[in-house]
Amino acid sequence: MKKIQMVDLVSQYEKIKPQVQTAIHSILEKAQFINGPDVHEFKGELGSYLGAKHVIPCANGTDALQIAMMALGLKPGDEVITPSYTFIATTEVIGLLRLKPVFVDCEKDTFNISPKAIEAAITARTKAIVPVHLYGQSCDMEAIMKIAEKYDLKVIEDNAQAIGSDYTFSDGTVKKTGTIGDVGCTSFFPSKNLGCYGDGGAICTNDDDLAKQIEMVVNHGQSKRYYHDVIGCNSRLDTIQAAVLRIKLKELDRYIDARRKAAAFYDEQFKDVEGLTIPFRAANTKHVFHQYTLQLSDEIDRDALVAYLGEKDIPAMIYYPVPAHKQKMFASLETSSGILENTDWLTKRVFSLPMHTELEQDQLEYICKSVKEFIEK
Ligand SMILES: *Cc1c(COP(=O)(O)O)cnc(C)c1O
């Protein structure tokens, strides 16, 4: 059996190696490292895949979120409603821009931000909502967009974990995640569902004016060469990364199928195991399984399980052990989050198993057998 990894990027690379090598080599030959043709091609190709009018590539997913908030004109002190149960980048940029993160609870089954909790947290200073499509499935975007409309709030989707997922509205309209709010942000960090071979990110929007603003912000606030209208930053996707992404974008749907197949096998094996709760499939969305995350009942010792799997050479991870509202970085902020019951519970009870595009049947069987051994012993 091949060694089991959380993410097996080497085996994935083996299958696209000739195309990747040709593409990178050609960029080296022409020295088109910045803003080369692949960057422009990729913008168009990702836009058509997602059904987004504008795609603006940038340096990473954290920048994407920061740039989106800058381009929307959010001002220090503005309140931004965000889940606490997410990767820190989502909430960190809110703090960095001196906006005020207002942490709200998630739903215990979907792990995603609770629309009810959002509405309860709205004040006269609330300006935006940042739903995070955690682990690969969409938040309840119909409910969130209704709230946003009712209170005139901007919606910035953190789509770093769910590229390729979608959401079906009650009228039957289907939209890809990241194209539903005012702006969608994604990351091409190597282990993400669409990952490059270094850092990368993108912002997408269907709003022409906002797209113009984002184009300025990513490039030193420049409206025309050497004329800088707003304070911006320097955030670019390298041509080499764009070339890799063009190749991998063609594989994305196949990658998603491979993840969903592995998840279906795990589900089947774990659905009747007492003490384990398999990932809930939220209504109206296609789960693209960035992570396969289980919940453990209170009786099961999570650390001992992870250690047991480690002894068997099975990596397992805890995403995330500390929710944002309990991180030291926010200790000095006056956060009015109160107690986030589901978030606190989940951070103590979840664990994630290996999930990637190259999992083999013998590996999956061995993982499931080992988890069950621990729980049933
Ligand atoms: C990975 C990730 C980010 C940040 O992406 P980087 O490219 O690493 O900056 C933001 N939000 C979420 C939910 C993520 O998983």
Side-chain angles (χ1 to χ4, degrees), residues 205-331:
T205 182
N206 290 316
D207 177 328
D208 298 340
D209 293 333
L210 184 58
K212 265 195 212 124
Q213 201 67 22
I214 295 168
E215 295 275 11
M216 271 205 286
V217 174
V218 293
N219 186 23
H220 303 291
Q222 182 170 281
S223 55
K224 103 185 156 180
R225 196 162 214 185
Y226 303 127
Y227 290 80
H228 305 274
D229 297 2
V230 293
I231 300 223
C233 54
N234 170 27
S235 190
R236 291 187 282 248
L237 180 71
D238 292 341
T239 311
I240 288 178
Q241 301 305 343
V244 170
L245 287 165
R246 290 187 68 201
I247 294 162
K248 291 184 71 173
L249 179 60
K250 293 197 189 81
E251 306 292 324
L252 181 57
D253 284 335
R254 197 180 60 74
Y255 289 163
I256 289 171
D257 286 345
R259 288 173 177 275
R260 285 168 58 84
K261 224 172 120 214
F265 185 82
Y266 280 143
D267 277 358
E268 193 51 39
Q269 295 288 308
F270 295 139
K271 69 181 195 312
D272 298 322
V273 177
E274 205 173 325
L276 279 186
T277 306
I278 60 172
F280 183 81
R281 309 295 184 101
N284 307 331
T285 173
K286 174 177 179 176
H287 204 320
V288 297
F289 284 99
H290 177 58
Q291 300 297 347
Y292 186 86
T293 303
L294 294 143
Q295 299 178 44
L296 293 169
S297 67
D298 288 317
E299 296 77 51
I300 299 170
D301 182 341
R302 181 173 68 171
D303 292 340
L305 169 60
V306 171
Y308 180 81
L309 295 174
E311 278 164 31
K312 302 203 153 251
D313 273 331
I314 300 169
M317 294 288 288
I318 290 161
Y319 305 114
Y320 298 92
V322 183
H325 74 291
K326 293 198 169 156
Q327 296 286 353
K328 277 191 198 155
M329 69 157 71
F330 293 122

Side-chain angles (χ1 to χ4, degrees), residues 60-63 65 86-87 89-90 132 134 158 160-161 187-189 192 199-200 320:
N60 56 67
T62 311
D63 273 11
L65 289 158
T86 178
F87 178 58
T90 316
V132 181
L134 205 69
D158 183 340
Q161 300 191 0
S187 162
F188 305 124
F189 185 80
K192 299 284 156 98
D199 276 307
Y320 298 92

Side-chain angles (χ1 to χ4, degrees), residues 12-307:
Q12 192 191 56
Y13 169 62
E14 288 298 329
K15 295 177 181 163
I16 51 171
K17 197 167 174 170
Q19 298 107 286
V20 170
Q21 293 195 340
T22 307
I24 292 180
H25 192 73
S26 126
I27 294 164
L28 296 178
E29 294 289 317
K30 297 183 195 127
Q32 292 167 322
F33 304 116
I34 303 291
N35 282 330
D38 285 301
V39 177
H40 301 282
E41 294 296 330
F42 176 63
K43 279 172 79 151
E45 289 161 5
L46 184 62
S48 15
Y49 176 84
L50 292 173
K53 200 164 167 198
H54 306 279
V55 171
I56 301 101
C58 64
N60 56 67
T62 311
D63 273 11
L65 289 158
Q66 180 187 328
I67 291 157
M69 289 178 204
M70 289 168 76
L72 283 168
L74 299 178
K75 299 273 176 330
D78 286 353
E79 292 181 6
V80 178
I81 296 178
T82 171
S84 174
Y85 187 56
T86 178
F87 178 58
I88 198 65
T90 316
T91 57
E92 182 184 30
V93 297
I94 300 172
L96 183 74
L97 295 173
R98 298 286 174 252
L99 312 172
K100 184 177 172 194
V102 175
F103 300 109
V104 303
D105 212 357
C106 59
E107 297 167 334
K108 196 175 166 191
D109 51 3
T110 66
F111 308 120
N112 278 330
I113 192 166
S114 151
K116 271 205 201 85
I118 294 175
E119 193 156 15
I122 290 171
T123 73
R125 290 173 304 279
T126 308
K127 291 286 153 51
I129 310 168
V130 188
V132 181
H133 307 303
L134 205 69
Y135 303 149
Q137 64 183 346
S138 178
C139 297
D140 183 353
M141 289 309 291
E142 181 147 348
I144 292 171
M145 295 311 291
K146 268 196 197 130
I147 295 169
E149 213 168 289
K150 182 168 163 196
Y151 296 95
D152 193 21
L153 307 176
K154 300 295 182 191
V155 175
I156 303 151
E157 295 176 74
D158 183 340
N159 196 31
Q161 300 191 0
I163 195 159
S165 179
D166 58 28
Y167 182 86
T168 307
F169 288 82
S170 51
D171 68 359
T173 318
V174 182
K175 288 186 183 173
K176 284 266 199 309
T177 52
T179 68
I180 302 165
D182 296 275
V183 57
C185 302
T186 201
S187 162
F188 305 124
F189 185 80
S191 64
K192 299 284 156 98
N193 286 23
L194 176 62
C196 58
Y197 294 159
D199 276 307
I203 309 151
C204 62
T205 182
N206 290 316
D207 177 328
D208 298 340
D209 293 333
L210 184 58
K212 265 195 212 124
Q213 201 67 22
I214 295 168
E215 295 275 11
M216 271 205 286
V217 174
V218 293
N219 186 23
H220 303 291
Q222 182 170 281
S223 55
K224 103 185 156 180
R225 196 162 214 185
Y226 303 127
Y227 290 80
H228 305 274
D229 297 2
V230 293
I231 300 223
C233 54
N234 170 27
S235 190
R236 291 187 282 248
L237 180 71
D238 292 341
T239 311
I240 288 178
Q241 301 305 343
V244 170
L245 287 165
R246 290 187 68 201
I247 294 162
K248 291 184 71 173
L249 179 60
K250 293 197 189 81
E251 306 292 324
L252 181 57
D253 284 335
R254 197 180 60 74
Y255 289 163
I256 289 171
D257 286 345
R259 288 173 177 275
R260 285 168 58 84
K261 224 172 120 214
F265 185 82
Y266 280 143
D267 277 358
E268 193 51 39
Q269 295 288 308
F270 295 139
K271 69 181 195 312
D272 298 322
V273 177
E274 205 173 325
L276 279 186
T277 306
I278 60 172
F280 183 81
R281 309 295 184 101
N284 307 331
T285 173
K286 174 177 179 176
H287 204 320
V288 297
F289 284 99
H290 177 58
Q291 300 297 347
Y292 186 86
T293 303
L294 294 143
Q295 299 178 44
L296 293 169
S297 67
D298 288 317
E299 296 77 51
I300 299 170
D301 182 341
R302 181 173 68 171
D303 292 340
L305 169 60
V306 171

